[in-house]
Structures are given as C-alpha cells and as structure tokens.
Amino acid sequence: GPRTVMPPVTAPVLSPAADGTGWIQPHALDELWFHTGTACNLDCPFCLEGSRPGDARLQRITLADVRPLIDAAVGLNVRQFSFTGGEPFVVKDMVAILEYAAGFRPCLVLTNGTAPVVRRLTQIRKLAGTAHPIAFRISIDFADEARHDAGRGAGNFRLALQGLRALHKAGFGVSLARQVQPGRDESEVDREFRQLLVAEGLPAGLRIVSFPDFGIPGEQRQVPRITADCMTRFQTEATRRAFMCAFSKMAVKQGGRMRIYACTLVDDDPRYDQGDSLADAVRARVMLEHHRCYSCFRYGSSCSELG
C-alpha cells in the first residue's frame, strides 16, 4: 500500500529554546551513522547504549531498513557511513549491509572484535574488495588484560586483539577505542597501548580514540547548563562546526521503523528524534540539553574519525 509519511518533528528540536539553551545548526551531512541495535554478545556494565545479549531497546537493522537511507544520504553528499551497536556482527545482514554501503562511500564499523567477528572472518574478508574501503575500530578499554576483562568478561581481551590482528592482516584499516582514565596522563596511557600493539605484532601508529564515561541510557547526570551565551563566548564558528551534531546523524530502528536522531550519543532521549526524513533532519537545529552534550562542549568529544 502507499507509504505513510510521518509529519516532520517540529518541537522542541527545531525552535530556539526560550530559556536561552545553546544549540547547534547543522551545516552538512558528512557522516551518517547506523545503530545496528542494542543486541550484543557482551554485557558490559558501563555500556553507554545499555547493550547486552538479546536487548531490543533499539532493534536490529536489516539491509531493507538501511538501503533507502543510504541512497538518500548519497543524494545529500554524505562522505562516510559509520556503524555502531550493540555489536554490529550479531546482526545477520551486517556483511550484506557493508557490501551495499561500501559500494557508495567509505565505511567505519565500531565493534568489540570478539566472538561475532572472529566467527564471521571468512565472510568479512570478502569485503576487502569493495569499491570504497571499510575500516574497523575495536574497543580495548585498558592495555591491561585483567582490567579490560573485568568489564567485558574473561577471555575477551585476547579475542579483541585476535580480531584486531585478523582484520589488519586482511588489509582493512583498523583503529582502537579506549577509555579515558581520569587522573592519569593521557599520553602515558597511549604509550602503554602502543607497547601492547607492538607486542601483538600490530603497527605502533594505529589511531587510538579515547572516550570519557558517558554514563548509561536514561541516566540523569548533573552537568553545567550550556547556554546560547556559552556557545558564542567559549566556542567559535569553527569549533561549533566540529560538534558531531553539526555534520552527522544517526539512524536507529524503533518500533519497527527507522528514525533519525541528532547524534550517536542521544538515542535514549526522544527529544532528539528528528523524524524519518534525512533531508528534514539535516536542517533541524539541535538543542544542547542532553548531559552528554557537555562532553562535546567541554572536551571536544567525538565518535567521528572524519577530520
């Protein structure tokens, strides 16, 4: 039958807040993220998405779900497709999705690199010939095995390194995501990771991306309020353009439908649901009201690797 078109979401995202809240006006769609669903093979207590085995807060995506959005994004001159979860490789269609997306643009996949990746390596290796490159960012929280496995489960440190090595050997670009360790010198932490990489036969120069503790979905953290004045006093036009919500969106599946959210960090808050049209969402102003917005404001946090 005819497709039901959802009316565009007009409030509160599109209008400047009467209370003087700071906001970002998007300028492009450089990157479109897909959330593959909150199902994961691991159950990490600190997961910012609250992902765990069988979880369905955000549903698993299919090739049919993402194909129209990939096509629409290409029409909007997107530069890259990125995928996060959950664990993308617990999704049945993941390899087919990557094959389709990488026919148009470079892709980045955030993965824990453990059993789902290692199990599907034969399929994944076949993606080495796509028109555009596919890169993988693997989460290794700490350079210390016991500390990493305390959060992710016994044996997963070794598995993640095995996944990282196998993907690198297959010719894919790889990078590493770690946790920020408060009170420690960040360059010292990176040095520990570089020693680990060399010991594992990996390039010492791999990109290492560090993330603060974003909290779990629905958590209400007390952070300073970001006002419109803050955004002009402490930020410049250039730094405002570097906020993820200025150049990226995230597509998620909820209630059987694909929805566009303002960024990768706010899918636990329906105020950031910007409807089902990418073209409309790209124009929608983003109010900086989520506690995770403060990480972007204060630390320049970003999930993106686009320079």
Side-chain angles (χ1 to χ4, degrees):
R3 186 166 161 272
T4 313
V5 179
M6 296 292 296
V9 179
T10 47
V13 183
L14 290 176
S15 57
D19 66 355
T21 296
W23 45 269
I24 289 286
Q25 182 61 50
H27 62 85
L29 181 67
D30 289 334
E31 186 169 25
L32 178 60
W33 287 80
F34 287 97
H35 200 298
T36 61
T38 44
C40 188
N41 60 306
L42 304 183
D43 186 358
C44 309
F46 50 79
C47 181
L48 72 96
E49 293 293 357
S51 303
R52 60 181 66 86
D55 194 84
R57 179 179 71 84
L58 301 177
Q59 295 163 295
R60 296 179 201 219
I61 57 172
T62 65
L63 179 57
D65 290 328
V66 304
R67 201 185 257 140
L69 287 168
I70 288 171
D71 296 346
V74 170
L76 293 165
N77 298 316
V78 74
R79 288 171 51 198
Q80 176 171 300
F81 294 113
S82 299
F83 299 85
T84 186
E87 169 48 52
F89 287 101
V90 304
V91 171
K92 197 166 71 215
D93 281 1
M94 194 60 210
V95 172
I97 288 168
L98 284 172
E99 192 171 18
Y100 187 74
F104 296 101
R105 294 292 189 272
C107 293
L108 172 68
V109 187
L110 277 51
T111 169
N112 60 45
T114 64
V117 169
V118 174
R119 261 202 311 270
R120 296 179 76 177
L121 273 170
T122 307
Q123 281 182 293
I124 295 167
R125 281 193 195 101
K126 290 180 183 152
L127 294 168
T130 52
H132 296 273
I134 300 171
F136 296 88
R137 186 199 295 161
I138 292 187
S139 299
I140 300 182
D141 301 316
F142 303 101
D144 175 76
E145 181 169 6
R147 215 172 154 194
H148 174 92
D149 284 355
R152 293 196 179 246
N156 284 307
F157 181 79
R158 304 296 343 156
L159 268 175
L161 284 165
Q162 184 187 337
L164 188 59
R165 268 197 314 272
L167 291 167
H168 177 253
K169 197 174 162 196
F172 297 106
V174 290
S175 57
L176 187 151
R178 69 166 176 84
Q179 292 187 12
V180 167
Q181 297 180 30
R184 290 203 56 199
D185 178 349
E186 289 288 287
S187 58
E188 178 60 33
V189 178
D190 276 346
R191 237 190 331 274
E192 285 174 11
F193 270 92
R194 300 213 180 278
Q195 287 166 349
L196 171 69
L197 290 168
V198 171
E200 293 290 332
L202 285 154
L206 282 195
R207 182 195 286 247
I208 299 174
V209 186
S210 57
F211 288 108
D213 171 15
F214 287 121
I216 57 174
E219 188 177 331
Q220 295 302 313
R221 287 200 171 174
Q222 291 310 305
V223 295
R225 187 165 153 261
I226 304 168
T227 63
D229 179 55
C230 294
M231 290 305 290
T232 49
R233 188 187 310 203
F234 302 112
Q235 303 279 339
T236 63
E237 172 68 15
T239 64
R240 287 192 295 271
R241 287 172 74 89
F243 273 65
M244 275 192 70
C245 55
F247 65 84
S248 74
K249 297 287 173 205
M250 184 162 79
V252 314
K253 189 176 184 179
Q254 287 174 322
R257 295 182 317 195
M258 296 302 288
R259 309 294 294 168
I260 312 300
Y261 271 73
C263 101
T264 54
L265 296 173
V266 294
D267 60 61
D268 62 340
D269 186 339
R271 289 179 301 179
Y272 292 94
D273 178 332
Q274 298 185 317
D276 63 358
S277 157
L278 264 181
D280 290 347
V282 168
R283 295 194 299 267
R285 184 168 284 181
V286 182
M287 308 311 298
L288 301 174
E289 295 173 299
H290 196 290
H291 71 86
R292 290 175 183 162
C293 299
Y294 186 70
S295 296
C296 301
F297 176 81
R298 175 84 171 74
Y299 307 109
S301 296
S302 177
C303 305
S304 179
E305 290 192 11
L306 286 182

